[in-house]
Amino acid sequence: MVHTGACIASFLGQGGSRKYHLTWKWLRYFKNDRDRRDLITCGSAAGVAAAFRAPVGGVLFALEEAASWWRSALLWRTFFTTAVVAVVLRSLIEFCRTGKCGLFGQGGLIMFDVNSTKATYSTPDLLAVMFLGVIGGVFGSFYNYCVDKVLRTYSIINERGPSFKILLVIVISLLTSCCSYGLPWLSQCIPCPPHLAEQCPTESRSGNFKNFQCPPNHYNNLASLFFNTNDDAIRILFTSGSEKEFDLSTLLVFFVAIFCLGIVTYGIAVPSGLFIPVILAGASYGRLVGTLLGPLSNLDVGLFALLGAASFLGGTMRMTVSLCVILLELTNDLLMLPLMMLVLLISKSVADIFNKGVYDQIMKIKGLPYMETHAEPYMRHLIASDVVSGPLVSFSGVEKVGNILHVLRVTRHNGFPVIDEPPYSDAPELCGLVLRSHLLVLLKGKKFTKQRVKTGSDIVRGFKAHDFAKAGSGKGVKLEDLEITEEEMEMYIDLHPIANTSPYTVVESMSLAKAAVLFRELGLRHLCVVSKTPGMPPIVGILTRHDFTPEHVLGLYPHIKPHK
């Protein structure tokens, strides 16, 4: 749902789809980098709000995970988005309760209502919760370690082609089916509890008691977990006041199975998530710990299951505030807030000792140049000019068409500095920054001159504003689309009208740590490093996101030892 919300937002941010006639004029206002980022952030918040029925949790998820830099405008936009999601979701649920939606619409906005238990706790209870947080941190870091190894293996398999992807999905599907059907044979048949309000064994698709080859009036523990939907299984584990419903062996087998299946399933070529398997595994070992500590603690095993899910989520995702609010909105149990905060902080702190969160590991595997929220300590000992990637490619204010075309062919840079030289200025000076996409639009328009002269704003009169707007994915002018003759290669073109004459700049002697904070907080793509010494070229280089990554910096200076 998070990916779905982000995809819809990205679709709107690139102006819709002309191919499928799904575009509107008002969408052109979002065709810039900042608004597209904001839209995608709002889309991810909407996905969380819809999936977990947690509107405030969706806002905090966007704050904690999706957005690089938070500001007040983004806060109310995400809040408005999730509020609309909550209203629409409530309306659809009310409509579906009339029976017109089949199996949809069953249940309210609170998915797992466990607030029936009286949450009073003492010092032994707090010690038990702290112990649960430590277990969650250890299991969460080990889960991330296994996911990292499995994803690296799957990437090798998936690179071999679609047939290997399909084969991998078939193997994992068979493994899951064998485990789900085979493991319940290990569990014994248990007589149905007397004076039970619901039917036992259950005959419908959901319910707490599954027969699975047992005699009448008996049920199978493991089958009750495996043969239910994930939502129903979580609801069963969170149920309070049913200590004897699951024995220790059942919870242990179910935890090991869900733990392993969650690891091997994530990364195959079908949509699969991390939240629900992690909640299931955490709830199972939380209930197991609650059963073991029953004589020492007054907390209900259902609350232990909830805290176990929170600890495992904190150990894998490394989120705190958003997870806390999402779980509170899921369970409608505000009395558990102090214990929830405690277990999340402990599990995150313990897991951070071993490795990073699962999202950070996935971004590293994909090679995405993600910038941390803080500058690394070793960046304080370097300056901006130390990490500039070279050689610098720049254009004159009035440049020859052939030179521009050659540079676009031999480089993959997206931004180029424009330098004015005599006779257009007394000395070489930085005029601005021009983007590759704008150069391609300008070359396609063929507003060339035979003499090297400034044409001013006349050059852009043949264009419309949306010609220079950010194109959607796979759209825009490509280098292959240009048809430039040999005669036109010797002509000139004025770059002043399309150059950004006020780009963000830093002096070459600025601390790299300060430059990294500036780059991230302003949401930049290019940061110009200008010379401090008179008589030198006006610009030393351009910093991009890649130049701030630890791999790049430590590759240039291998003698620096990063702090762990």
Side-chain angles (χ1 to χ4, degrees):
M1 291 297 294
V2 174
H3 280 103
T4 302
C7 288
I8 294 172
S10 179
F11 166 77
L12 294 175
Q14 65 186 21
S17 173
R18 294 181 182 177
K19 179 179 179 182
Y20 298 106
H21 306 288
L22 294 174
T23 183
W24 300 272
K25 286 186 177 180
W26 61 270
L27 287 177
R28 67 181 184 273
Y29 296 111
F30 299 102
K31 295 181 72 173
N32 59 76
D33 283 329
R34 190 188 70 177
D35 286 335
R36 285 186 72 180
R37 283 198 302 267
D38 287 359
L39 268 177
I40 292 172
T41 303
C42 293
S44 64
V48 173
F52 296 105
R53 305 175 190 179
V56 180
V59 175
L60 294 174
F61 177 85
L63 163 64
E64 201 166 0
E65 281 297 319
S68 295
W69 179 245
W70 196 259
R71 60 187 200 280
S72 58
L74 191 55
L75 176 64
W76 74 259
R77 286 172 181 172
T78 52
F79 188 76
F80 172 77
T81 304
T82 56
V84 172
V85 169
V87 171
V88 173
L89 189 61
R90 170 75 73 175
S91 303
L92 291 176
I93 287 176
E94 292 299 326
F95 173 76
C96 288
R97 279 179 180 169
T98 59
K100 298 178 181 178
C101 302
L103 297 174
F104 290 98
Q106 298 177 4
L109 283 178
I110 304 299
M111 293 175 67
F112 314 117
D113 196 344
V114 296
N115 66 344
S116 57
T117 303
K118 194 174 180 180
T120 56
Y121 39 86
S122 57
T123 302
D125 298 331
L126 292 177
L127 293 176
V129 169
M130 294 170 66
F131 174 67
L132 198 60
V134 173
I135 293 177
V138 173
F139 279 154
S141 59
F142 181 64
Y143 190 88
N144 291 357
Y145 172 80
C146 296
V147 165
D148 181 74
K149 299 300 180 184
V150 168
L151 285 179
R152 294 181 186 276
T153 305
Y154 285 176
S155 63
I156 298 173
I157 297 174
N158 292 334
E159 285 175 358
R160 297 191 175 185
S163 57
F164 285 87
K165 289 184 179 182
I166 296 174
L167 181 63
L168 180 61
V169 171
I170 293 173
V171 171
I172 300 300
S173 301
L174 289 174
L175 175 65
T176 305
S177 301
C178 292
C179 290
S180 300
Y181 187 77
L183 290 177
W185 291 97
L186 302 177
S187 181
Q188 297 179 350
C189 293
I190 302 174
C192 290
H195 311 296
L196 199 64
E198 59 179 305
Q199 185 181 14
C200 177
T202 310
E203 293 182 358
S204 61
R205 60 183 291 273
S206 62
N208 291 1
F209 306 100
K210 296 295 182 183
N211 182 267
F212 191 74
Q213 312 299 328
C214 289
N217 297 323
H218 287 68
Y219 71 96
N220 187 299
N221 258 335
L222 274 174
S224 300
L225 293 174
F226 277 113
F227 289 172
N228 264 317
T229 62
N230 286 337
D231 286 358
D232 286 330
I234 294 172
R235 190 176 288 108
I236 293 170
L237 290 171
F238 283 177
T239 302
S240 58
S242 53
E243 292 86 349
K244 296 182 180 179
E245 188 173 347
F246 299 103
D247 51 25
L248 297 179
S249 60
T250 297
L251 294 172
L252 181 62
V253 171
F254 184 72
F255 165 68
V256 173
I258 294 297
F259 188 92
C260 297
L261 289 176
I263 291 171
V264 299
T265 304
Y266 190 76
I268 61 175
V270 293
S272 59
L274 286 171
F275 255 98
I276 297 301
V278 167
I279 291 177
L280 261 180
S284 58
Y285 81 71
R287 198 176 181 98
L288 176 63
V289 171
T291 306
L292 290 174
L293 299 180
L296 304 176
S297 175
N298 295 323
L299 292 179
D300 188 85
V301 289
L303 298 183
F304 266 106
L306 174 60
L307 294 173
S311 68
F312 203 12
L313 282 169
T316 53
M317 311 295 178
R318 311 296 163 84
M319 295 185 292
T320 51
V321 181
S322 57
L323 277 180
C324 186
V325 174
I326 287 172
L327 289 172
L328 289 178
E329 290 185 287
L330 272 176
T331 57
N332 195 25
D333 198 358
L334 192 59
L335 294 174
M336 295 301 296
L337 178 60
L339 297 182
M340 195 86 70
M341 294 169 64
L342 181 64
V343 77
L344 281 170
L345 288 172
I346 293 176
S347 62
K348 179 186 184 303
S349 302
V350 171
D352 282 339
I353 299 174
F354 301 101
N355 52 29
K356 291 188 175 183
V358 65
Y359 296 138
D360 295 322
Q361 290 186 346
I362 293 171
M363 282 190 290
K364 187 175 181 181
I365 293 174
K366 288 182 173 292
L368 301 176
Y370 177 74
M371 290 185 67
E372 297 289 347
T373 54
H374 58 278
E376 297 292 341
Y378 58 79
M379 290 184 176
R380 300 171 190 164
H381 307 291
L382 298 171
I383 60 176
S385 61
D386 289 338
V387 297
V388 169
S389 301
L392 178 66
V393 181
S394 61
F395 294 127
S396 300
V398 181
E399 186 61 78
K400 184 181 288 188
V401 175
N403 292 344
I404 298 176
L405 208 57
H406 173 72
V407 168
L408 293 179
R409 284 172 178 166
V410 299
T411 67
R412 298 178 61 187
H413 303 325
N414 286 303
F416 302 92
V418 178
I419 299 175
D420 268 342
E421 297 175 338
Y424 304 110
S425 62
D426 297 333
E429 64 179 16
L430 179 63
C431 170
L433 189 74
V434 65
L435 298 179
R436 170 185 283 264
S437 58
H438 293 178
L439 286 172
L440 291 171
V441 173
L442 201 61
L443 290 175
K444 189 175 183 181
K446 295 190 176 184
K447 302 292 184 178
F448 308 145
T449 58
K450 294 185 177 180
Q451 303 297 325
R452 190 176 183 181
V453 293
K454 277 188 176 182
T455 57
S457 58
D458 296 338
I459 193 173
V460 295
R461 288 181 180 173
F463 298 96
K464 296 180 181 178
H466 62 78
D467 291 335
F468 293 99
K470 186 176 179 65
S473 303
K475 301 181 177 67
V477 182
K478 296 182 176 61
L479 191 60
E480 298 78 20
D481 300 334
L482 301 179
E483 297 179 358
I484 308 294
T485 64
E486 290 295 330
E487 182 182 358
E488 291 172 334
M489 296 278 276
E490 300 299 322
M491 292 184 177
Y492 295 89
I493 189 167
D494 187 6
L495 301 181
H496 291 90
I498 66 165
N500 175 13
T501 55
S502 57
Y504 285 96
T505 61
V506 296
V507 294
E508 59 181 340
S509 58
M510 175 180 270
S511 166
L512 186 61
K514 287 184 178 180
V517 172
L518 177 69
F519 190 93
R520 186 181 185 277
E521 292 185 359
L522 292 176
L524 304 179
R525 289 191 68 186
H526 306 97
L527 183 61
C528 299
V529 181
V530 297
S531 177
K532 192 179 180 181
T533 308
M536 296 296 290
I539 181 169
V540 178
I542 295 181
L543 291 174
T544 62
R545 185 176 288 264
H546 170 265
D547 297 317
F548 293 102
T549 57
E551 291 79 10
H552 174 71
V553 178
L554 298 177
L556 294 175
Y557 303 97
H559 62 280
I560 296 178
K561 293 184 179 180
H563 295 271
K564 293 185 178 180

